Amino acid sequence: MSEQWWQRAVVYQVYPKSFQDSDGDGIGDLPGLTRRLPYLAKLGIDVIWLSPVYASPMDDNGYDISDYRAIAPVFGTMEDFDTMLATAHGLGIKLVMDLVANHTSDEHRWFEESRSSRDNPYRDYYYWRDPVDGHEPSNMGGVFGGSIWEWDEGTGQYYLHCFSKKQPDLNWENPRVRDEVYDLMDFWLAKGVDGFRMDVIGMIAKDTSFPSGEPGPTGYSSLYPLIQDERVHPWLQEMRQRVLSRYDTMTVGEVGGATVETAKKYANLDGSELSMVFQFEHVGLTGSPERGKWVTGKPRLVDLKRVFEHWETGLEGVAWNSLFWDNHDQPRAVSRWANDAPEWRELSAKMLATCLHLMKGTPYVYQGEELGMTNYPFEDMSLIDDLEAHDAYRMLTQDCGCTHEEAMAAMREICRDNARTPMQWDATPLAGFTTGSPWLPVNPNCAYINAAAQVDDPTSVFAHYQRLIALRHESDLVVHGIFRLLMPESDEVFAYERALDGKRMLVACNFTEREVPFALPDGYEDAVAVAAAANYAEPCVPGVLRPYESLALLA
Ligand code: ISL
């Protein structure tokens, strides 16, 4: 396959609710995004992945859609959307929409029809089941806590919802549902959008016998056995034939349980399904069966490297990787993977960027990551909005025996609202995000972590991202070079090599706040330093890597 545009691209994720408010209601919106597009152009990114802006009751911040062809008034109008899209295109930036089609809102017309009677033509758009022995049809628990089944008094059956009860799962077995999804994709592609990020696309195929499993501490069994992701592939191939093949798109599937083997199908370079998938092995390294993801502490570097190596080498020449440290569901990159203490934050944020951006795959930058934004110091649950966090707090304190303090420590490290506090544009108290009352608190560190302070400072985290993005655009070695992990046993240094047509590049990153010994591999004695990768102003020191140092050398 010849090079695809998205293989040389860097994607920037915009979480619209927290990006830029333009009307003072404390919630980001499309005119606000339009106003900030020149900032993104200056950063140099190629593509925006826009989290949902569709009509929605906002039970899960727009991941519960009530009309796929309308814009939520809180974000603006369809005209605002068209203006934003045209402005982005004018700046050479493509736009990828969030396609949330595993479920709809319970306020979507299809669901309202579906629940209105057992013989409504939309009944089979969703999964309806009779009670078993007067109870839920199975004992599985949903991603946001509680049963996956919700009782509907009107028609005397349960409906399936893997997420909140306001997010009923669509029945993809029904060809009419698939037709509807392909049609709405067509609607947006015909408007000129450049592709889709597909929410939990690995979950659309279920074991429709709805088995029960061994209950965990919450009394519910794991959702995992429900998912039959091997059956997703024919549907994605159908989607490719019916819609995607008619446009030049970038598609990225969110596939929680993806393995290298399944990703070879999803993201095959033959172009039969998607461009790439988000896998979650690295972000899952710290979870536990009892507490799920709510476990504090960093993973071991050897484990983190093993995951990246597995993906980089596993997909080589067969499928395409996506690369990310964070997104709207994850804590802030610098807080989670490096060190957000004031003395190390900038250095370690730049090191993380170097490490990720010089691997093979399409890198994703989550809004504010390019400024080194950090987690928020949540003291109690009153400042946390996310429905998942509130369920988790209950689970931790009631089912897992945690104290309030232990639960809050987990919130401060893991909860999704860490990523969702407003974008920090300037040093004023509301960070230039809004003139009103922001829907989530602004991190007080906006006083010194903000875009205004960084955009024109060549030593800033922003400028470091700018240089790495520019490097990818011009370097075939960065885009296509084969990855090889070096020093796999080191728990301090993440080092790897990229190789293409006799050219070689060494990348080395110190993940500690100590100086660590580092011997150059053979052949790099006279190598040339790659300026974009370096996070120290002074030239590198032979034999060592300084605290959180990142460097790259061309042999
Ligand atoms: O955020 C998570 C926390 O544990 C994930 O399990 C997340 O729910 C999963 O990755 C699916 O995420 C996507 O679908 C959800 C939505 O809440 C997330 O924001 C979205 O990224 C339901 O639509």
Side-chain angles (χ1 to χ4, degrees), residues 60 63 103 144 197 199-200 254 293 328-329 388 416:
D60 186 19
Y63 283 90
H103 44 268
F144 298 153
R197 174 268 186 186
D199 193 61
V200 288
E254 188 200 26
K293 70 175 187 176
H328 66 296
D329 293 333
E388 182 196 49
R416 308 197 294 183

Side-chain angles (χ1 to χ4, degrees), residues 127 129 138 140 148-149 160 162 173 202-212 223-231 235:
Y127 295 100
R129 290 293 183 278
S138 69
M140 282 183 181
I148 54 174
W149 297 105
L160 176 76
C162 291
E173 314 283 342
M203 286 176 67
I204 57 176
K206 277 115 184 159
D207 178 347
T208 54
S209 72
F210 295 109
S212 283
L223 184 66
Y224 191 67
L226 187 65
I227 313 306
Q228 293 192 328
D229 89 325
E230 66 285 358
R231 292 202 301 117
W235 292 339

Side-chain angles (χ1 to χ4, degrees), residues 34-288:
T34 304
R35 192 181 118 207
R36 294 297 187 180
L37 288 171
Y39 167 87
L40 298 182
K42 183 162 183 169
L43 181 58
I45 54 99
D46 307 274
V47 184
I48 293 170
W49 151 26
L50 181 61
S51 278
V53 289
Y54 313 93
S56 162
M58 302 286 167
D59 183 53
D60 186 19
N61 287 334
Y63 283 90
D64 49 320
I65 298 170
S66 54
D67 184 348
Y68 290 95
R69 289 176 172 81
I71 300 293
V74 75
F75 292 133
T77 61
M78 191 59 91
E79 211 183 338
D80 294 331
F81 178 87
D82 293 339
T83 304
M84 186 275 296
L85 181 62
T87 313
H89 282 166
L91 290 164
I93 297 174
K94 295 185 194 286
L95 186 90
V96 162
M97 299 288 278
D98 216 311
L99 178 72
V100 188
N102 172 70
H103 44 268
T104 67
S105 165
D106 64 340
E107 297 179 37
H108 194 289
R109 188 178 58 85
W110 302 336
F111 190 73
E112 286 172 349
E113 291 280 348
S114 185
R115 82 181 326 169
S116 68
S117 74
R118 288 200 189 198
D119 55 10
N120 185 282
Y122 287 88
R123 189 70 170 176
D124 286 342
Y125 271 42
Y126 298 86
Y127 295 100
W128 292 95
R129 290 293 183 278
D130 288 325
V132 174
D133 301 328
H135 292 289
E136 288 82 1
S138 69
N139 71 352
M140 282 183 181
V143 177
F144 298 153
S147 169
I148 54 174
W149 297 105
E150 181 69 13
W151 177 247
D152 178 60
E153 197 56 57
T155 55
Q157 282 190 313
Y158 288 94
Y159 66 84
L160 176 76
H161 63 92
C162 291
F163 294 89
S164 94
K165 65 181 181 196
K166 287 186 65 63
Q167 294 168 301
D169 284 57
L170 281 168
N171 173 11
W172 276 70
E173 314 283 342
N174 181 347
R176 284 179 58 209
V177 166
R178 304 202 299 274
D179 288 347
E180 298 269 17
V181 174
Y182 306 152
D183 279 357
L184 74 90
M185 291 172 72
D186 211 49
F187 171 84
W188 289 100
L189 291 167
K191 249 184 186 302
V193 312
D194 303 286
F196 296 98
R197 174 268 186 186
M198 300 183 188
D199 193 61
V200 288
I201 199 71
M203 286 176 67
I204 57 176
K206 277 115 184 159
D207 178 347
T208 54
S209 72
F210 295 109
S212 283
E214 199 51 47
T218 58
Y220 296 104
S221 72
S222 156
L223 184 66
Y224 191 67
L226 187 65
I227 313 306
Q228 293 192 328
D229 89 325
E230 66 285 358
R231 292 202 301 117
V232 173
H233 302 290
W235 292 339
L236 290 180
Q237 287 157 21
E238 180 183 75
M239 178 193 283
R240 171 66 54 184
Q241 285 151 14
R242 295 271 300 279
V243 201
L244 296 171
S245 58
R246 291 186 283 111
Y247 301 89
D248 180 15
T249 60
M250 186 196 108
T251 49
V252 51
E254 188 200 26
V255 186
T259 62
V260 164
E261 284 318 307
T262 60
K264 285 181 188 169
K265 292 191 197 158
Y266 281 113
N268 199 289
L269 291 171
D270 69 9
S272 54
E273 296 186 21
L274 304 175
S275 313
M276 63 195 107
V277 291
F278 291 131
Q279 58 83 19
F280 287 85
E281 256 188 80
H282 61 311
V283 297
L285 280 171
T286 44
S288 81

Side-chain angles (χ1 to χ4, degrees), residues 380-393:
D380 61 64
M381 294 304 291
S382 66
L383 289 179
I384 296 181
D385 172 86
D386 185 23
L387 78 173
E388 182 196 49
H390 285 276
D391 269 315
Y393 180 84

